Amino acid sequence: MKPVDQIQNEIISEFAVLDGDMEMTVFYIMELGQKLPVMNEVDKTDDNIVKGCQSKVWLTARLENGNVYFEADSNTAITKGLVSLLIRIFNHQTPEAILNADLYFMNKIGMERFIGTQRSNGFAAMIKQMKLYALAFKTKKELAGE
Amino acid sequence: MSTLAATGIKIDQIRAQFPVLHQLVNGKPLIYLDNAATNQKPKRVIEALARYYEKDNANIHRGIHTLAERATKAYEETRHVMQRFIHAKHVEEIIFTRGVTESINLVAATYGRKFLNAGDEVILSGLEHHSNIVPWQMICEEKGAHLKVIPVTEVGEIDLKAYRTLLSSKTRIVAVNHASNSLGTINPIKEIIDLAHQRQAVVLIDGAQASAHLPIDVQELDCDFYCISSHKMYGPTGTGILYGKKELLEEMPPYMGGGEMIKEVTFAKTTYNELPYKFEAGTPNIADVIALKEAVSFIEELGKEQIAAYELELLKYAAQRLSAIKGVRLVGTAPEKVSVQSFIVDGIHPFDIGQMLDARGIAVRTGHHCTQPLMDRFGIEGTVRASFSVYNTKAEIDSLAEGVERTINFMR
């Protein structure tokens, strides 16, 4: 799997092509969301809703062969696109890599400018939830190892 | 070029008075269609605010120096202007508040607390904004009174037949809006008031969406309370009025304690000031109240009827343009409406439409518009709401329709 920063840099260059055109950027994010693998309807429970998001975002995670895999969906296309960026970065990574990840791509692509403060807070909540999953998996692994 | 019918005033001339409209948002000329949330301010309002702070700033009423005198005079002038604006009988029936929300809370917490008893009923409509629901819920809970809700019909009107059956000898208060913020429906408040009075209930009208569009004559309406927010009528944020019939206001206990609202204070007992000061504790929002006068002048110089006629033209055009788009469904289609058009698009969340429109410099509101029970009534999470003021144009509505169409085409 590519390291976290390599994927972040790829995202930054992809967004650079859009040249700050707001409409193209929003279309692009929605398009990314449309490509996100479909989440199982039974996983869309209240327990799996990420708290702190304006839109509804469902997130699940599982650990397979030491790597974390996330699935997500949202009731809005734009949010689905945003969460797909995080999934692209974090899927197949180890819990440690997720916990240690320093996400800088949002600033580089000027995310706050096109999603606003409220959505930026929601985005931060998604990251927090993903890191919490990673922490849980790491702790579980460590306990099992002892 | 559009003009304001009988006045011959060009819309461009009106737009020129609104500095905020002349800017690019996301590289596109701003199209501001979120007027039901707050509308923009003409230069004269902005200048009045600056002038007050530059020349006249002083605390009002108790000072004997020149600036205090000037500030007091200007502040009280707005009270007279607002009295005239809603045709109140007495100037002391105009209480300055922070806006409609505070006005309703004031009535619920004073009139409600004094006159509601266990088992009494308060009637609201299903069209109400949360600010005309929650204060009543709070006081009803405290007093053991009950809320009754007038249902809303499919087109978004209050069901008057149901209202008649809800009214009873237990009804103490009826609180409804003059016009709905989510759907734009204009409610038959005269009839609602008369029917409530037959049962000796008092009526509060939430005029937030009416003040800039509809004629208001509180004496003719015979309403007991009427609430207005300045910022929805081209005035500054953070101020508004509560109109109350003098005899009711006099019977009500004060809302907040503090300076200004007292006559005499000793540690043993305080006597309260006269109306309207009894309800204006503390230093009020002097600057914004003073500038509100300019907003009223702006409306009156153009003529509220002329403004309403032009906005209605915009509304009809928007309804026609939007409903012609495949997949768009209008929400709120009552025949009598102010210039608010809510709509939903099959399979596309309102937030996504709003985000796409913003990318094109178009400001609309998305979500439940603080009317969750109303959204539940229609079985939807929210809508996209476009609302129009006198400075909007048909060309802007064309851009709105194009933006919506483009989003739909992309998402399909």
Side-chain angles (χ1 to χ4, degrees):
Chain A
M1 189 56 204
K2 292 176 193 167
V4 164
D5 287 359
Q6 192 185 329
I7 306 173
Q8 291 202 79
N9 294 338
E10 283 172 11
I11 292 172
I12 293 164
S13 22
E14 286 162 21
F15 273 80
V17 177
L18 300 166
D19 204 23
D21 183 303
M22 196 61 65
E23 194 176 18
M24 293 310 294
T25 307
V26 175
F27 273 151
Y28 183 63
I29 296 173
M30 286 182 177
E31 209 169 6
L32 293 176
Q34 286 175 341
K35 288 180 191 156
L36 192 68
V38 179
M39 190 185 202
N40 208 328
E41 283 299 317
V42 297
D43 287 330
K44 292 186 193 171
T45 61
D46 285 354
D47 284 348
N48 286 334
I49 287 179
V50 180
K51 289 174 189 68
C53 292
Q54 241 193 338
S55 312
K56 269 188 197 152
V57 180
W58 296 271
L59 179 74
T60 61
R62 63 177 200 281
L63 191 71
E64 258 179 48
N65 305 323
N67 293 331
V68 185
Y69 295 88
F70 291 103
E71 277 183 41
D73 198 357
S74 172
N75 61 343
T76 72
I78 183 96
T79 308
K80 204 169 159 180
L82 292 173
V83 75
S84 84
L85 291 170
L86 293 176
I87 289 187
R88 177 168 158 199
I89 294 168
F90 285 152
N91 263 14
H92 308 280
Q93 306 286 1
T94 61
E96 290 77 8
I98 294 169
L99 283 169
N100 295 332
D102 169 27
L103 295 185
Y104 51 80
F105 80 97
M106 301 90 84
N107 285 337
K108 295 273 185 199
I109 66 175
M111 187 182 284
E112 193 168 314
R113 198 167 57 86
F114 54 80
I115 65 170
T117 318
Q118 275 184 318
R119 281 235 170 88
S120 293
N121 292 341
F123 194 70
M126 289 183 224
I127 297 171
K128 193 176 157 199
Q129 187 59 44
M130 289 173 129
K131 291 209 172 200
L132 278 174
Y133 270 119
L135 182 65
F137 290 136
K138 181 176 170 253
T139 313
K140 214 167 146 187
K141 253 191 349 189
E142 282 165 1
L143 287 174
E146 276 169 12
Chain B
M1 178 45 65
S2 308
T3 54
L4 211 55
T7 64
I9 299 170
K10 289 190 173 66
I11 299 304
D12 262 4
Q13 287 172 274
I14 297 173
R15 291 180 68 83
Q17 297 175 45
F18 289 81
V20 79
L21 297 176
H22 307 281
Q23 62 175 303
L24 298 181
V25 167
N26 295 324
K28 311 267 169 29
L30 168 67
I31 296 176
Y32 187 79
L33 304 178
D34 193 16
N35 294 287
T38 193
N39 59 12
Q40 299 299 346
K41 318 306 170 199
K43 216 181 259 169
R44 62 200 293 172
V45 169
I46 302 165
E47 284 168 358
L49 279 171
R51 197 167 51 237
Y52 167 74
Y53 284 119
E54 282 169 9
K55 308 270 186 199
D56 303 328
N57 177 46
N59 211 334
I60 53 170
H61 292 143
R62 286 166 309 278
I64 51 157
H65 58 79
T66 306
L67 261 58
E69 181 52 36
R70 265 194 240 148
T72 304
K73 189 166 169 277
Y75 181 86
E76 290 302 328
E77 265 171 25
T78 302
R79 204 187 303 274
H80 285 274
V81 165
M82 292 311 289
Q83 177 199 1
R84 201 190 60 230
F85 190 66
I86 62 168
H87 300 94
K89 193 169 176 188
H90 308 285
V91 71
E92 61 269 31
E93 292 177 322
I94 307 295
I95 316 284
F96 288 117
T97 64
R98 281 185 294 161
V100 167
T101 298
E102 188 176 58
S103 298
I104 297 172
N105 274 279
L106 190 160
V107 176
T110 59
Y111 186 90
R113 186 160 292 135
K114 185 164 177 186
F115 294 105
L116 278 179
N117 292 303
D120 286 348
E121 292 176 355
V122 174
I123 297 181
L124 312 177
S125 91
L127 282 173
E128 299 314 308
H129 189 283
H130 295 163
S131 58
N132 199 22
I133 300 174
V134 183
W136 301 114
Q137 268 174 339
M138 288 159 65
I139 195 68
C140 281
E141 197 175 339
E142 186 182 316
K143 306 295 289 191
H146 305 291
L147 276 190
K148 297 280 165 186
V149 182
I150 315 166
V152 173
T153 66
E154 198 55 37
V155 294
E157 287 180 317
I158 284 179
D159 183 343
L160 274 181
K161 215 172 133 190
Y163 171 57
R164 284 170 195 272
T165 64
L166 285 176
L167 280 166
S168 76
S169 56
K170 291 181 192 164
T171 311
R172 290 286 164 272
I173 300 168
V174 176
V176 293
N177 59 44
H178 197 164
S180 151
N181 72 306
S182 283
L183 307 183
T185 316
I186 300 170
N187 292 314
I189 55 167
K190 178 65 187 151
E191 205 172 342
I192 290 171
I193 293 163
D194 289 348
L195 286 165
H197 284 170
Q198 287 171 18
R199 297 287 189 165
Q200 278 74 51
V202 300
V203 183
L204 175 142
I205 302 296
D206 164 1
Q209 295 299 329
S211 54
H213 315 279
L214 302 174
I216 301 164
D217 185 330
V218 291
Q219 290 187 74
E220 197 187 297
L221 286 169
D222 196 25
C223 62
D224 302 287
F225 301 103
Y226 196 101
C227 313
I228 285 178
S229 286
S230 150
H231 74 97
K232 303 221 196 250
M233 48 178 282
Y234 310 99
T237 56
T239 190
I241 63 155
L242 166 67
Y243 157 83
K245 280 183 184 162
K246 195 177 170 183
E247 56 271 30
L248 294 175
L249 293 174
E250 272 171 350
E251 279 182 77
M252 284 152 56
Y255 179 45
M256 290 195 290
E260 188 78 20
M261 53 78 73
I262 52 95
K263 190 173 271 168
E264 223 172 339
V265 179
T266 67
F267 281 111
K269 185 171 171 57
T270 294
T271 50
Y272 304 126
N273 206 338
E274 293 163 355
L275 290 175
Y277 311 111
K278 181 172 95 175
F279 293 105
E280 294 181 4
T283 297
N285 193 346
I286 305 166
D288 293 308
V289 165
I290 289 172
L292 169 59
K293 185 172 52 191
E294 291 298 324
V296 173
S297 304
F298 170 80
I299 293 172
E300 287 179 341
E301 280 171 24
L302 290 178
K304 219 193 243 186
E305 275 175 37
Q306 309 297 334
I307 295 174
Y310 176 67
E311 287 171 342
L312 199 61
E313 204 181 307
L314 293 178
L315 176 72
K316 282 184 179 158
Y317 186 66
Q320 178 201 327
R321 282 296 315 253
L322 290 167
S323 60
I325 302 170
K326 199 167 173 278
V328 170
R329 181 156 74 84
L330 302 184
V331 183
T333 49
E336 298 290 327
K337 280 180 46 163
V338 291
S339 50
V340 169
Q341 189 58 62
S342 259
F343 61 96
I344 52 174
V345 179
D346 294 336
I348 306 180
H349 198 281
F351 282 176
D352 290 325
I353 306 265
Q355 189 89 48
M356 276 307 309
L357 292 175
D358 179 61
R360 294 168 76 86
I362 304 170
V364 293
R365 189 136 296 242
T366 58
H368 54 60
H369 318 298
C370 296
T371 56
Q372 280 181 337
L374 180 63
M375 298 294 116
D376 292 343
R377 151 70 182 85
F378 285 99
I380 54 181
E381 243 183 280
T383 70
V384 182
R385 182 188 72 185
S387 48
F388 313 104
S389 268
V390 68
Y391 42 69
N392 290 124
T393 65
K394 286 186 180 173
E396 289 181 318
I397 292 168
D398 287 335
S399 300
L400 168 72
E402 282 158 23
V404 171
E405 254 179 321
R406 211 171 135 78
T407 309
I408 294 173
N409 291 339
F410 171 79
M411 303 278 288
R412 292 281 145 78

